[in-house]
Amino acid sequence: MKRDGYDAYHGRNRFATFLKILIVMLILLLVAAVAALFFLEPYIVYSSDGVRLDLPFFQEKDEDPDPETPAPTVVVSTPEATQTPEPEPDFRGVTLERTALYDGTAQAQVEQAGATAAIFDMKADDGSLGYISQQALAQETQVSASDPAINAAIQLLNSGDLYTVARVSCFRDNTVPREHGSISIPKSSGNWRDDADYRWLSPASAEARAYVTGICRELAELGFDEILLDNCGFPTRGNLDNIRTSDNYNPDDLTGPLETFFQELETALADYPDVKVSVVSSQSVLSGESDGSGQTVSLLETRADRVLAAQEGEEPLPMLNGVPVAAILTEPGDPAGTQWAVLPSQS
């Protein structure tokens, strides 16, 4: 019924509004269902047990791989069998004249003696050198070799397969102390001399040590495989009571200067790690006793690659822990024997 030209107001139709909302929700659910079907289709598995959904984030990590996908190949590498290093051949050294440094006979002489190494007296007890040295004391006292081509000849010899050893009479030196008494073993006046009338440099003198270590470095530069330190310490022969106690000879500290010498020698040879250092010692030192030189078993075991000592009678040489010991002979021994060396006779 109209009043004043208008229909009567019946209010908002709530059922129609609800129906519209329901239709929209159903459309949204349908769209979501279709999208989910497309997304989950790869993960729907049909089996005799029915249909199941295998989502990757619900699978256990240790499940068996897809049987159609080959398992990755695992290559197990095993280290090669450890090669046992061949032991070094027994050291058998024979001293040759310096002429063998350049006349081409060194190899033949070594083989003839049944030896494995050639020993050359590169710093003799009288102080003379078998090569040309750049050491100031050597040039001042004119102890170097006179042949200007000798160093080149030595390098040529040392470039071959022959194992070469440079003997160095470290502190027994009859020439340099004569001109430089301040670095010698002293007596009440002048240089002390041993039972063969030879002078000695003092291991306690820094200048004397520098001279010897400098010579050793030069010999390493010339290519020698081994440097053999003889008379390496304070004198043990002659009238030792005539030695004057001083900074160059303190009977209460003979080992200290030697320890310093070997430390300085190690520094001097740092650029030549393959050069071996061997030391002539005595049975007394090897047995743990003192022979007055300042050497000790501990010093030899930590500083020497090889030790040489004279064998007295039938008594075998004492052995050192990890350091080969060679017997000093007066003439070549049995080629099938143990380690030995024939050194220059000391007058």
Side-chain angles (χ1 to χ4, degrees):
M1 176 178 180
K2 294 183 180 181
R3 292 183 180 179
D4 299 327
Y6 294 95
D7 291 332
Y9 176 70
H10 298 286
R12 180 178 296 178
N13 192 333
R14 295 181 179 178
F15 178 76
T17 302
F18 172 76
L19 187 61
K20 292 178 182 179
I21 295 173
L22 180 61
I23 292 172
V24 171
M25 292 179 62
L26 290 174
I27 292 173
L28 292 175
L29 288 173
L30 180 61
V31 172
V34 172
L37 181 63
F38 279 103
F39 175 76
L40 297 175
E41 183 179 6
Y43 306 104
I44 299 175
V45 178
Y46 301 91
S47 66
S48 59
D49 296 331
V51 181
R52 72 175 186 273
L53 194 62
D54 283 343
L55 295 177
F57 43 82
F58 290 131
Q59 295 177 0
E60 297 291 336
K61 293 183 178 180
D62 58 351
E63 286 184 354
D64 293 335
D66 188 342
E68 296 181 359
T69 305
T73 302
V74 178
V75 179
V76 179
S77 60
T78 57
E80 297 181 359
T82 303
Q83 297 288 339
T84 302
E86 295 183 2
E88 293 187 6
D90 287 338
F91 174 80
R92 300 189 296 273
V94 59
T95 300
L96 305 181
E97 296 293 332
R98 290 175 179 172
T99 53
L101 288 167
Y102 54 82
D103 64 9
T105 66
Q107 183 71 57
Q109 290 190 59
V110 169
E111 293 176 355
Q112 184 178 5
T116 61
I119 301 174
F120 293 98
D121 201 5
M122 301 307 293
K123 180 180 183 295
D125 295 356
D126 62 3
S128 64
L129 303 178
Y131 73 105
I132 298 176
S133 173
Q134 299 302 315
Q135 300 295 308
L137 285 177
Q139 294 178 345
E140 181 182 340
T141 54
Q142 300 181 355
V143 293
S144 289
S146 58
D147 184 355
I150 187 62
N151 285 18
I154 292 172
Q155 288 177 312
L156 179 61
L157 174 66
N158 288 338
S159 65
D161 295 331
L162 180 62
Y163 191 89
T164 56
V165 180
R167 175 187 178 264
V168 175
S169 179
C170 295
F171 299 104
R172 194 183 194 209
D173 186 319
N174 201 37
T175 303
V176 173
R178 182 175 57 207
E179 306 294 334
H180 295 270
S182 62
I183 63 175
S184 71
I185 297 293
K187 64 175 184 179
S188 56
S189 61
N191 301 139
W192 176 86
R193 298 174 185 242
D194 61 23
D195 56 349
D197 209 30
Y198 276 66
R199 300 174 179 86
W200 284 67
L201 293 166
S202 171
S205 166
E207 186 177 357
R209 294 194 306 268
Y211 175 58
V212 177
T213 56
I215 287 174
C216 292
R217 179 179 174 84
E218 289 178 335
L219 293 171
E221 291 174 349
L222 289 174
F224 283 96
D225 298 295
E226 185 170 328
I227 296 175
L228 194 164
L229 306 177
D230 203 352
N231 300 312
C232 183
F234 290 90
T236 60
R237 50 186 296 183
N239 190 347
L240 303 181
D241 291 336
N242 284 345
I243 299 176
R244 176 169 56 86
T245 299
S246 65
D247 291 340
N248 283 355
Y249 188 84
N250 180 0
D252 295 328
D253 184 21
L254 300 177
T255 299
L258 280 192
E259 291 175 340
T260 302
F261 168 71
F262 277 106
Q263 292 170 359
E264 294 169 347
L265 179 62
E266 181 178 1
T267 300
L269 298 180
D271 294 333
Y272 306 93
D274 294 332
V275 176
K276 294 184 180 295
V277 174
S278 52
V279 181
V280 174
S281 189
S282 66
Q283 285 215 31
S284 297
V285 173
L286 296 182
S287 300
E289 303 173 0
S290 172
D291 64 353
S293 67
Q295 293 183 10
T296 64
V297 169
S298 175
L299 197 61
L300 295 175
E301 288 179 339
T302 56
R303 298 296 183 178
D305 295 303
R306 189 191 327 277
V307 174
L308 295 84
Q311 187 168 343
E312 301 171 0
E314 300 295 329
E315 189 70 21
L317 287 171
M319 302 303 294
L320 290 182
N321 183 24
V323 182
V325 178
I328 299 175
L329 307 180
T330 57
E331 60 183 17
D334 180 3
T338 56
Q339 301 196 43
W340 51 261
V342 178
L343 300 185
S345 59
Q346 298 188 21
S347 55

